[in-house]
Amino acid sequence: MTQHSTRLTYQTAGESHGPALIATVLGVPAGVEIDTEIINRELARRQGGYGRGGRQKLETDTVEILTGVRLGKSIGSPITMLIKNRDSRLDDLERTPPVYRPRPGHADLAGSIKWLTTDCRETLERASARETAARVAASCIGRLMLKQIFDVEVFGFVRSILDAQTDVEVSHEQMESLIKARDESATYTLDPKTTEHQCDIIRKTKSDKDTVGGDVECHVFNCPPGIGSSMNWYEKLDARIGGAVMGIQAFKSVGIGLGAQCSKRLGSELHDPIAFDPAKVNSPSLGFVRSSNNAGGLEGGMTNGQPIVVTGTMKPIATLLKGLPSVDLNTKSPQDSQYERSDICAVSAASVVMENVVAFEVASAFMDKFGGDSVIETRGNYDAFLDVARTLPLDHPTADPTDDPSTVIA
Ligand code: EPS
């Protein structure tokens, strides 16, 4: 029999200029409120950000739920969502012509050879970041589950565009004011001065007919220790988050906590000292506190009770108005790469995608551990785990074998 997963997963389908994008989410328990306003808000945020191209003026992404939801709540069956493309013209060869001059940095060249054609159109339509609209819709369901079942919250923003970087620090206590600051920023960063600097960079990049990238960051608050697993590499939550983030179009690196900077410190300077604060025993950390969070909340592929911190780097978009050196795939003669309407900077949009896909991976790991068929059952499993974890150490008659001569091992 073909192997199928019962885990929380999703699949997207759809081309950039086809009739629609579709997302199907599997493994959602019954009873999750599927708030389309929240999904549509995330879709609108993904369309925004300073530096986007003309396409976003044509589209108003909203989700239509086709299956899996009754009276606003999930019923345990697959949830299918549809986002219509207003700019649908895939079979119109005049408006959607073949692309023979691949863009360096894009999927064009490798894809056209892989699928044995010289028309990059057939690769680029699916490689396009338009697909991330479906991914945000799908993964936002994981985000809803995190909040409704486990009271876990997620916050993403733009740390830098080129060299314009915000130094604002992020904490759960400040989350409300941070969301406000980010939502007031044209680039989804955290302070007005950096926003202005980033907008200046994007304006200059546009007048130079160039493109620009940046760094995005995502924090996940309120996870208890023990989500994910160190037993198998593919169960490690950092591996799962890393894969999801690297799967976002144009991402070239992902980090957890200090990420690549870990190698610049000694062990004694890097690892986050463990302490116990009995006043915090009823929080998801179960009272285990740290004076730093260089590990980004993950040790051994599992949450450790500290916030999960993920960073991602988006390269500049490969479609440049001024073109880049390339070749014509039919004649093999040198030609500049083909221009298609595109964005100058989509780092703000990418921060929304990252925030949601990270949330989905965390939700999926929570469901691996506590998953039931309904919200009520899953929450019960979670509460039962926390109750037992708080009572550690459990009674054990041979807890210390050296106390009992009969258990001495020869
Ligand atoms: C993209 C090219 C542009 C972007 C697109 C990603 O598409 P178009 O050629 O239709 O203007 O606008 O992003 C989106 C459509 C979106 O919704 O994010 C690309 O080549 O990746």
Side-chain angles (χ1 to χ4, degrees):
M1 191 179 104
T2 315
Q3 289 296 304
H4 293 286
S5 170
T6 53
R7 285 180 44 190
L8 181 68
T9 53
Y10 67 87
Q11 174 71 49
T12 70
E15 283 70 37
S16 182
H17 304 100
L21 300 165
I22 287 171
T24 305
V25 188
L26 303 166
V28 180
V32 179
E33 277 175 47
I34 306 299
D35 187 336
T36 48
E37 254 180 54
I38 295 182
I39 300 172
N40 288 338
R41 184 198 66 199
E42 291 303 284
L43 289 176
R45 287 209 308 123
R46 192 207 69 89
Q47 284 200 269
Y50 194 70
R52 294 286 257 158
R55 177 75 183 268
Q56 301 315 322
K57 293 192 181 78
L58 304 175
E59 307 290 348
T60 313
D61 294 340
T62 50
V63 84
E64 188 184 336
I65 302 210
L66 302 179
T67 70
V69 177
R70 180 165 185 258
L71 303 173
K73 287 191 177 180
S74 59
I75 53 173
S77 51
I79 298 177
T80 309
M81 290 174 286
L82 180 122
I83 301 166
K84 282 203 178 105
N85 283 332
R86 290 197 178 157
D87 192 12
S88 166
R89 53 179 155 92
L90 196 54
D91 287 336
D92 181 339
L93 285 180
E94 263 178 39
R95 292 171 63 226
T96 316
V99 174
Y100 298 127
R101 291 175 282 133
R103 292 159 288 184
H106 206 279
D108 294 350
L109 174 66
S112 52
I113 293 169
K114 177 177 171 67
W115 284 288
L116 300 176
T117 169
T118 55
D119 182 2
C120 306
R121 169 76 52 203
E122 284 161 24
T123 301
L124 72 87
E125 280 291 328
R126 180 71 183 149
S128 163
R130 175 84 192 131
E131 183 268 345
T132 60
R135 220 169 329 159
V136 166
S139 54
C140 190
I141 293 205
R143 182 197 192 106
L144 295 174
M145 290 168 60
L146 280 184
K147 179 69 188 149
Q148 290 173 33
I149 311 176
F150 307 107
D151 197 29
V152 167
E153 296 187 306
V154 187
F155 174 69
F157 65 98
V158 172
R159 177 60 81 186
S160 64
I161 289 174
L162 203 62
D163 57 355
Q165 174 169 323
T166 180
D167 294 323
V168 172
E169 285 185 15
V170 172
S171 70
H172 196 194
E173 295 69 40
Q174 298 294 319
M175 196 164 145
E176 222 172 281
S177 61
L178 290 167
I179 290 174
K180 187 167 178 291
R182 178 200 65 191
D183 292 350
E184 283 170 5
S185 161
T187 50
Y188 304 177
T189 193
L190 301 182
D191 69 89
K193 205 160 162 259
T194 310
T195 303
E196 211 179 296
H197 189 184
Q198 293 179 342
C199 287
D200 285 345
I201 288 171
I202 294 167
R203 263 191 295 274
K204 162 107 179 46
T205 305
K206 186 176 182 186
S207 72
D208 292 344
K209 300 185 173 165
D210 216 321
T211 56
V212 66
D215 294 319
V216 293
E217 207 169 298
C218 173
H219 295 238
V220 186
F221 300 109
N222 264 359
C223 295
I227 307 301
S229 178
S230 54
M231 290 299 133
N232 293 294
W233 63 268
Y234 48 82
E235 292 179 282
K236 287 175 189 271
L237 186 51
D238 38 10
R240 292 166 66 170
I241 288 172
V245 173
M246 287 301 285
I248 304 170
Q249 284 79 341
F251 272 59
K252 288 305 254 187
S253 79
V254 58
I256 305 287
L258 275 196
Q261 295 304 311
C262 285
S263 61
K264 307 287 181 281
R265 296 199 184 190
L266 296 172
S268 56
E269 300 163 333
L270 179 75
H271 297 300
D272 309 311
I274 302 173
F276 186 74
D277 179 355
K280 297 206 167 125
V281 77
N282 286 323
S283 76
S285 75
L286 307 175
F288 293 98
V289 293
R290 312 288 182 109
S291 47
S292 56
N293 187 18
N294 296 328
L298 290 162
E299 290 169 319
M302 295 172 286
T303 51
N304 64 7
Q306 304 306 301
I308 301 174
V309 182
V310 188
T311 55
T313 303
M314 186 189 200
K315 68 185 178 185
I317 282 167
T319 314
L320 274 69
L321 192 52
K322 64 181 172 189
L324 285 171
S326 184
V327 294
D328 183 309
L329 290 179
N330 291 322
T331 64
K332 311 280 173 23
S333 64
Q335 297 276 341
D336 275 356
S337 55
Q338 199 152 320
Y339 178 70
E340 288 254 312
R341 178 188 61 197
S342 188
D343 306 308
I344 306 298
C345 177
V347 178
S348 312
S351 74
V352 181
V353 182
M354 178 159 121
E355 182 174 344
N356 283 283
V357 300
V358 167
F360 193 91
E361 291 310 313
V362 176
S364 177
F366 263 91
M367 289 305 287
D368 284 349
K369 185 156 173 58
F370 306 112
D373 292 306
S374 65
V375 166
I376 296 169
E377 182 185 357
T378 305
R379 193 180 294 137
N381 294 341
Y382 183 43
D383 289 344
F385 166 76
L386 292 180
D387 283 348
V388 177
R390 278 192 195 103
T391 62
L392 289 172
L394 306 177
D395 279 348
H396 197 290
T398 55
D400 184 354
T402 54
D403 286 347
D404 178 356
S406 68
T407 64
V408 171
I409 299 160

